[in-house]
């Protein structure tokens, strides 16, 4: 649950180190019996409270006791980022979270329509009953239509070999679709495409605007080395020198 005060969007909610990690190679080079024995022996070295929590939720190669307790919803209010340098997981609020509200994350690809999301959740053995999945039928159809359009637009914008000039309008609609579906956790994806599309028609100031928005949101979830971060920094620093400058115009003025 959220604290007694409002947690503002962009605030770090939690940072946690794993209680136990298993090298991925162990799963292919050790027998199941030996691997189980080694993990059990390692876990018995933990404090009693951590042992109980560990054995109650061991389903992955890396176990974060508190993060693993956070429930799924298809419009989460928290995003998580695993830092490979510190080997920690950080959680950030992606919208304002009011006192008493539950902290939630997404377990699967949330841009999918509802039936696909439910299928993706099957390994967790539960049917999602979040507000996005339990709307009245007419609203559910509208939500699924938005999700399908979101995927179509996103896939279309990623085809950089086409010459068209309505890319910026499609990208702005993409942002709206992410927002309508409560996908603030991934809206940086839409900001990225908007920055590229506006630069593609030589609208430099809107390109910079959306690049800045992409960096502001995306850096909560990803590290400095991610390609989209590098691309957005490059665009901000040299708009006209970026590869995307005018690319949708095909050399037209």
């Amino acid at each position: 649950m959220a604290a007694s005060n409002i947690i503002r969007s962009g605030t770090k909610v939690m940072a946690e180190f794993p209680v136990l990690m298993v090298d991925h190679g162990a799963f292919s080079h050790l027998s199941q019996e030996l691997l189980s024995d080694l993990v059990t022996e390692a876990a018995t070295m933990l404090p009693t409270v951590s042992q109980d929590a560990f054995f109650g939720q061991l389903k992955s190669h890396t176990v974060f006791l508190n993060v693993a307790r956070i429930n799924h919803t298809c419009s989460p209010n928290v995003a998580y980022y695993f830092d490979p340098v510190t080997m920690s997981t950080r959680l950030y609020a992606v919208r304002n979270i009011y006192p008493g509200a539950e902290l939630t994350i997404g377990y699967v690809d949330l841009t999918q329509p509802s039936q696909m999301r439910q299928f993706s959740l099957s390994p967790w053995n539960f049917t999602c009953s979040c507000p996005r999945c339990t709307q009245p039928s007419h609203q559910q159809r509208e939500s699924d239509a938005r999700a399908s359009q979101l995927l179509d637009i996103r896939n279309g914008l990623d085809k950089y070999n086409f010459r068209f000039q309505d890319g910026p309008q499609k990208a702005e609609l993409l942002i709206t679709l992410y927002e309508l579906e409560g996908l603030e956790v991934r809206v940086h994806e839409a900001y990225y495409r908007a920055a590229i599309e506006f630069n593609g028609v030589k609208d430099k100031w809107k390109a910079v605007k959306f690049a800045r928005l992409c960096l502001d949101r995306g850096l909560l979830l990803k590290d400095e080395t991610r390609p989209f971060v590098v691309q957005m920094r490059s665009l901000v620093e040299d708009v006209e020198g970026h590869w995307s400058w005018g690319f949708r115009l095909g050399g037209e003025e």
Side-chain angles (χ1 to χ4, degrees):
M1 293 293 181
S4 57
N5 297 319
I6 296 174
I7 301 175
R8 300 292 180 185
S9 178
T11 301
K12 183 167 69 174
V13 176
M14 183 189 304
E16 185 177 22
F17 292 91
V19 295
L20 188 145
M21 299 184 69
V22 180
D23 187 278
H24 184 74
F27 290 86
S28 57
H29 293 93
L30 299 178
S31 68
Q32 187 65 41
E33 182 179 4
L34 178 57
L35 178 60
S36 178
D37 289 344
L38 290 172
V39 170
T40 300
E41 182 177 353
T44 59
M45 300 177 188
L46 297 170
T48 302
V49 174
S50 296
Q51 284 185 45
D52 293 341
F54 174 81
F55 287 116
Q57 62 183 263
L58 179 57
K59 293 182 179 178
S60 62
H61 306 173
T62 305
V63 178
F64 295 88
L65 295 183
N66 293 310
V67 174
R69 293 191 177 98
I70 299 178
N71 287 325
H72 163 88
T73 185
C74 293
S75 298
N77 55 22
V78 170
Y80 58 90
Y81 162 59
F82 178 73
D83 186 342
V85 177
T86 64
M87 305 301 287
S88 66
T89 291
R90 299 197 297 265
L91 278 72
Y92 292 91
V94 294
R95 67 174 75 99
N96 290 343
I97 304 174
Y98 293 90
E102 181 182 9
L103 302 180
T104 55
I105 59 176
Y107 294 178
V108 298
D109 181 357
L110 304 174
T111 62
Q112 305 173 99
S114 57
Q115 288 189 346
M116 295 175 66
R117 296 196 306 272
Q118 296 289 2
F119 177 78
S120 297
L121 286 166
S122 57
W124 284 270
N125 297 314
F126 73 89
T127 299
C128 184
S129 58
C130 76
R132 191 176 170 211
C133 290
T134 56
Q135 306 174 75
S137 58
H138 65 288
Q139 292 178 301
Q140 190 66 66
R141 287 193 296 271
E142 181 64 20
S143 174
D144 287 341
R146 288 195 295 261
S148 295
Q149 187 177 39
L150 182 157
L151 294 173
D152 287 343
I153 292 175
R154 193 176 67 188
N155 292 337
L157 293 178
D158 288 347
K159 296 176 181 177
Y160 295 145
N161 57 326
F162 288 134
R163 287 176 56 191
F164 57 83
Q165 297 184 36
D166 60 351
Q169 290 74 29
K170 288 183 177 180
E172 288 189 308
L173 174 56
L174 184 66
I175 294 170
T176 298
L177 293 170
Y178 272 83
E179 292 172 343
L180 288 172
E181 287 303 291
L183 297 177
E184 292 92 344
V185 69
R186 292 182 58 177
V187 74
H188 62 281
E189 300 171 348
Y191 290 147
Y192 175 87
R193 288 166 175 83
I196 295 296
E197 292 303 322
F198 276 103
N199 217 40
V201 296
K202 299 185 178 182
D203 189 337
K204 70 163 62 176
W205 297 118
K206 278 203 170 183
V208 171
K209 168 189 171 179
F210 287 113
R212 290 292 189 192
L213 286 169
C214 178
L215 288 168
D216 176 70
R217 180 63 62 173
L219 284 171
L220 294 180
L221 315 174
K222 309 294 182 183
D223 62 62
E224 294 271 358
T225 65
R226 293 300 179 98
F228 84 91
V229 174
V230 174
Q231 286 292 329
M232 292 296 94
R233 287 206 184 284
S234 174
L235 189 153
V236 167
E237 291 169 3
D238 184 6
V239 180
E240 295 185 23
H242 192 265
W243 67 265
S244 62
W245 179 253
F247 85 104
R248 288 296 191 196
L249 303 177
E252 298 176 5
E253 294 296 332

